[in-house]
Amino acid sequence: MNAWGTLLATVTGAAIALLGQYLSKRSEARAKSVELLMDACAQVAASTGDLLNHPTT
């Protein structure tokens, strides 16, 4: 029974490590998506400001 307990603990530890890596990568991807969205919004806002402040000839 001791070998089965060791095997179960090893498999459980590996599963926890893989889950942690998955959640970490997912969190990083989400943060990057939010960053890209904010950058795109800032570019749109800057372009709109440029158009509104553009002098007419």
Side-chain angles (χ1 to χ4, degrees), residues 27 33 49:
S27 175
S33 296

Side-chain angles (χ1 to χ4, degrees), residues 18-32:
L18 290 174
L19 181 64
Q21 286 181 348
Y22 169 76
L23 292 175
S24 176
K25 286 182 182 180
R26 194 174 86 169
S27 175
E28 289 173 5
R30 182 178 173 103
K32 184 170 180 148

